[in-house]
Amino acid sequence: MAPLASVQGQVTALFTKALKDAFPSIQQDALVTKGNPKYGDYQCNNAMMIFKEHGAGLGFDSPLKVAEAIRDSLPPSKLLGDISVAPQGFVTVRVSPEWLSSKVGECLLKGDISYLDLPRKRVVVDYSSPNIAKEMHVGHLRSTIIGESVRRVLEFCGHEVHGLNHVGDWGTQFGMLIEYMKEAYPNFQDQLPEVHDLQEFYKASKKRFDEDADFKTRAQLAVVDLQAGGEFARSAWQKICEVSRLSFNRIYQRLNISIEERGESFYNSMIPPLVEELKVRKICQESEGAMCIFTPNISTIPLMAVKSDGGFGYDSTDLAAIYHRLFVTRADWVIYVTDLGQEQHFHMIFDAAKQAGWHRPPLTRCDHMGFGVVQGEDKKKFKTRSGETVKLGDLLDEAVQRAALEISKRVEEQSKDGGEAFLSNPEEQMDAAQKIGIAAVRYFDMKQNRTSNYVFNWDRMLDAKGNSAVFLFYAYARIRSIQRKAGIDVHSIPSNCLQVKHPAERDLALKLLQFPDVIEAILGDLHLHHLTDYLWELCNTLTGFYMKCKVLGEEAQSCRLLLCEATRKVLLKSFQLLGFTPLDKI
């Protein structure tokens, strides 16, 4: 199958050639946008500007004349159908139905859908990043699912992608925890506790650390022993990490997350030689007893490569991490997916990496994908009724329970109406609830502008008629239902049977071929809501197609079955990028 290419990009290329041929003395990028559907699909907006800046010198007396010159210079192309010129100077083109028919058959019906973003890059995506000895909570939701989808989009585009989980697995807290567990849970290395027990031990150890001077001394010695590779401390630390890892992996399995753990401890041994090198190069300087890197373009507060007490903190680890990713891994592109509160910190890290010569834009690219907070109805951080942080596992459980309730209601209604209950088997119902519930949470999150806070709302999340994953799942299941009723293997229909004629067929074909434009938009600004917005528009376009074009038993049945199959494949690919598994029946 031929890789997809941006329709708007191809139209822009044609107008770029037209501008160059019509006005060889003028250097101007083609300004092409989506047009008013009443007049056409895409619109070139250069004529007015050219008239204002050069009209008299070129001998044109109106923007209309400039636009006509642009239109007349458009190179011949099968893509172009009707071309119109407005008095204001807009040149509007309609994509030809023949080209649409050909490209849907060529790019969407033969084999897997593909897209290439060249040149191919090595990309590191840092996401999720929970802390050892603590349960994952709702605050980890956004980083985990946004990061996973970005990783999937980049892999779909042909890049070599490394998804890394920068877990908090190092620091003074482990001295406290190890020392406390020696007292309270002496056989913990043989009988592993659950992660929620570790979290309670952590709280208790912090209280002891703050109140008991003797315990504090022993905890600090335990940290020294851990950092020096002491056998007991290292073994205890590994056991604590193992308990947490099992807990994380249960969540990752439910969310279908593929990520490689590479925690803070991985970089610990790199920090001292790295600091020495930066000191020699005068990038790292002493300030008030600490070794600092100044980033005046970003902040007046420096990064502390070494704290005044001689210890290493988050700044130290993040400097070592970006060094390893850019200089050792040789990544072309590094993306950090964290909350917006850390935006300045990471821009300081990027600036330090530039000073060190590891980050060399435009040869390398570093992005911070910041996101807002999940809120309750009170517009404050989402909490339980008792005021506790919502555990991510509990949130997913509730999503599945609510979806199961909606499914049982639907099955009951189908039974009362005398229709076939597609999910009459309890096992099928539970499988559907798992898929719908978790997809609903993911979609509701990712349809938001990621830089905004949003209010968590179960009703809107599971609304079968609104902009939700449930609505998308119904759209997919309806296609599968039509295909079953047709009783025809759609792959046996020749692709040349796809002849777009009806306006609703044309609208659907054009919307399908705009899928790569969405991918390009995500590559540009790393906002996933471009894809969720597109899916909502596509499913509404599909609904309009059904209303105006009967599929089965019509002369155009073969063409319309092919359009349905192309839509199913675009939906399926989009679902995969967002981490969903659709249902053939609901």
Side-chain angles (χ1 to χ4, degrees), residues 321-345:
I322 200 165
Y323 159 78
H324 189 269
R325 292 163 183 181
L326 290 169
F327 195 74
V328 179
T329 304
R330 295 291 182 185
D332 304 296
W333 189 1
V334 182
I335 302 169
Y336 291 83
V337 187
T338 77
D339 65 273
L340 277 169
Q342 299 184 61
E343 183 174 39
Q344 184 181 73
H345 166 75

Side-chain angles (χ1 to χ4, degrees), residues 96-112:
S96 80
E98 294 79 15
W99 187 87
L100 289 171
S101 303
S102 171
K103 286 300 174 182
V104 170
E106 180 185 329
C107 299
L108 298 178
L109 291 173
K110 297 177 181 176
D112 291 334

Side-chain angles (χ1 to χ4, degrees), residues 523-543:
L523 292 173
D525 62 18
L526 298 175
H527 277 277
L528 289 166
H529 71 264
H530 294 303
L531 182 54
T532 56
D533 289 351
Y534 170 77
L535 285 171
W536 172 242
E537 292 168 9
L538 174 60
C539 288
N540 280 290
T541 304
L542 179 65
T543 300

